[in-house]
Amino acid sequence: MVHMTAIEETAERREKIGRVIDEAVGTLDAYDSERAREACRIMEEGGETSRIVALPDRRMTFFGSTHTNNPDSQVVADLRSDLRDCLSNVPAKDVSLMIEGRHGGIDRDEAIRQMAGIETVEDAVRRYGEGGVALWVVAEYAKSGVKVEISSPEIPEEKVAEKLRSEFAADDIAAYLMLRQWTSEIGGRGRGEYSAVDFAKQALGYAELSGVEWIRGKKSDDEVRAILHDRAVLDEYVVVVGQQFLDGLNAKLGLAITLEQLRARQSDETMMKTINELSDPLDAAGRHSPINTISARWNAERDRYLVEEIGKEMARGKKPYVIFGASHVTHCEPALQKLAPIADIAAAG
């Protein structure tokens, strides 16, 4: 009988886990497939604000919901209840929290830092949305010396943009990126004044990602550093950048959004209806625009990465608790079920 060495056994386990993850990712259909649309429709018509997919023994839990900053919402009540149940059955140190939307990354230390001065979980939700529940949990367990890991499995946007630039016009990509941002920033979830600096940073970033040429006379990093000490000149540059990008976007979409509306987070129902319809990956309004298509493709790439990262966490022996939007859980559910064997393979070592 030939016995494998420890190194060979480890390599074999990694290969098996890799195959499971590949199969799960391969199960993903289009983000806007008929199956995914129907799953979302059933959820909406049933009045569900959240949907939970959990593998046996909490090997993985995916809490998908509508986004909210309301601590009194049913979404937050359901999330707190389910996460509490999970942590009563799984050692907190084995749980790996994974939240949506932190493209710059998030880890345990950063979560604790962001919770400094936040006195209640309700305040955490008001500031950070439903993901604030996860940040709160990390900080609360830290007070007892228990380390709960947290991350945000978001694919680098540069990778997605590079892939889509070969298929779609730059102005369509730029429009999608900004409209996606606005659905939360001026659509009701943001708080306080939306500054001209914030908008200019987004405009510059999205122009670079998409390749659109709406911003003329863009300054180099050295030129920007040279005017940082001169507030009047810097403020003028910020407004020019924001206005030029906004002019390009308004012309592209036939809108008339102003910087003043953005700064005050003022939006009328007609404007937000248009923004939401154009950026909807499932295209419920039937606009069939390139922006809707880009939205679906972009989210599909995010979900491929998300499923891979969940599988990798399970391979580490962790039990991921994932908090993402409702359409992501309905899209990913078949793939998530395929990840179940990973825990057994990893434990066999």
Side-chain angles (χ1 to χ4, degrees):
M1 179 180 291
V2 178
H3 295 280
M4 288 191 294
T5 65
I7 293 176
E8 288 172 331
E9 289 178 348
T10 299
E12 184 180 50
R13 282 196 302 275
R14 287 177 179 169
E15 185 177 348
K16 287 180 179 178
I17 289 171
R19 286 198 298 267
V20 171
I21 294 175
D22 288 345
E23 182 180 356
V25 172
T27 302
L28 289 169
D29 50 14
Y31 196 85
D32 56 348
S33 68
E34 287 302 319
R35 182 207 59 79
R37 287 172 184 270
E38 180 66 7
C40 280
R41 185 189 65 77
I42 292 172
M43 184 175 172
E44 290 174 0
E45 291 186 356
E48 298 177 69
T49 55
S50 62
R51 180 182 179 87
I52 301 170
V53 174
L55 298 180
D57 303 319
R58 291 283 188 168
R59 297 177 179 189
M60 186 285 309
T61 305
F62 196 124
F63 184 93
S65 70
T66 53
H67 296 302
T68 182
N69 282 78
N70 179 7
D72 299 320
S73 66
Q74 190 60 48
V75 166
V76 172
D78 290 344
L79 173 57
R80 293 181 65 183
S81 174
D82 189 68
L83 187 51
R84 189 182 306 116
D85 179 75
C86 177
L87 290 167
S88 68
N89 290 284
V90 178
K93 64 181 179 59
D94 293 339
V95 173
S96 177
L97 296 168
M98 306 175 85
I99 63 175
E100 182 177 3
R102 297 303 190 95
H103 296 280
I106 185 78
D107 59 18
R108 180 174 177 272
D109 290 340
E110 179 61 16
I112 294 170
R113 187 192 70 76
Q114 292 185 9
M115 286 294 99
I118 303 293
E119 297 185 358
T120 67
V121 66
E122 288 81 9
D123 286 342
V125 171
R126 291 188 187 98
R127 179 167 296 187
Y128 298 110
E130 68 278 2
V133 174
L135 300 175
W136 176 261
V137 165
V138 172
E140 285 299 289
Y141 272 97
K143 294 176 182 177
S144 303
V146 179
K147 294 183 177 181
V148 179
E149 293 185 14
I150 187 169
S151 63
S152 185
E154 293 284 2
I155 186 172
E157 299 210 294
E158 296 81 2
K159 289 186 177 181
V160 186
E162 182 180 3
K163 186 171 185 178
L164 297 188
R165 280 199 301 266
S166 64
E167 303 177 45
F168 298 94
D171 57 355
D172 284 322
I173 297 175
Y176 159 67
L177 290 168
M178 189 55 77
L179 295 183
R180 179 193 66 180
Q181 183 71 16
W182 284 351
T183 57
S184 59
E185 290 292 340
I186 63 174
R189 283 204 294 147
R191 302 189 313 150
E193 186 178 87
Y194 190 61
S195 74
V197 173
D198 290 336
F199 181 66
K201 287 180 178 178
Q202 289 172 0
L204 288 166
Y206 294 156
E208 184 174 352
L209 276 175
S210 64
V212 77
E213 297 181 354
W214 290 338
I215 301 174
R216 304 174 300 281
K218 175 185 172 183
K219 296 183 183 297
S220 67
D221 291 343
D222 288 340
E223 289 173 324
V224 171
R225 280 191 288 268
I227 64 172
L228 286 177
H229 67 285
D230 192 329
R231 185 58 184 265
V233 174
L234 180 61
D235 286 349
E236 181 182 3
Y237 176 63
V238 162
V239 171
V240 168
V241 165
Q243 190 62 61
Q244 288 181 348
F245 189 94
L246 191 55
D247 288 344
L249 186 68
N250 279 331
K252 165 70 180 175
L253 301 176
L255 299 176
I257 301 169
T258 67
L259 286 175
E260 288 71 25
Q261 281 178 308
L262 291 175
R263 294 194 65 179
R265 299 187 193 274
Q266 294 175 348
S267 61
D268 58 68
E269 290 184 7
T270 300
M271 183 180 80
M272 286 312 302
K273 181 174 183 291
T274 299
I275 287 173
N276 288 328
E277 287 180 357
L278 283 169
S279 59
D280 178 13
L282 299 181
D283 192 17
R287 284 179 173 265
H288 306 300
S289 76
I291 299 172
N292 293 126
T293 304
I294 290 169
S295 184
R297 288 287 305 282
W298 198 288
N299 279 292
E301 292 298 322
R302 290 175 65 203
D303 281 357
R304 288 176 62 87
Y305 185 83
L306 172 59
V307 171
E308 288 178 354
E309 292 301 301
I310 293 172
K312 290 176 183 178
E313 284 297 285
M314 293 176 66
R316 293 176 55 224
K318 290 290 184 177
K319 297 191 174 183
Y321 195 102
V322 186
I323 305 171
F324 263 64
S327 60
H328 293 282
V329 72
T330 52
H331 179 230
C332 291
E333 183 168 3
L336 298 174
Q337 303 293 348
K338 294 286 187 181
L339 296 176
I342 291 178
D344 290 332
I345 298 171

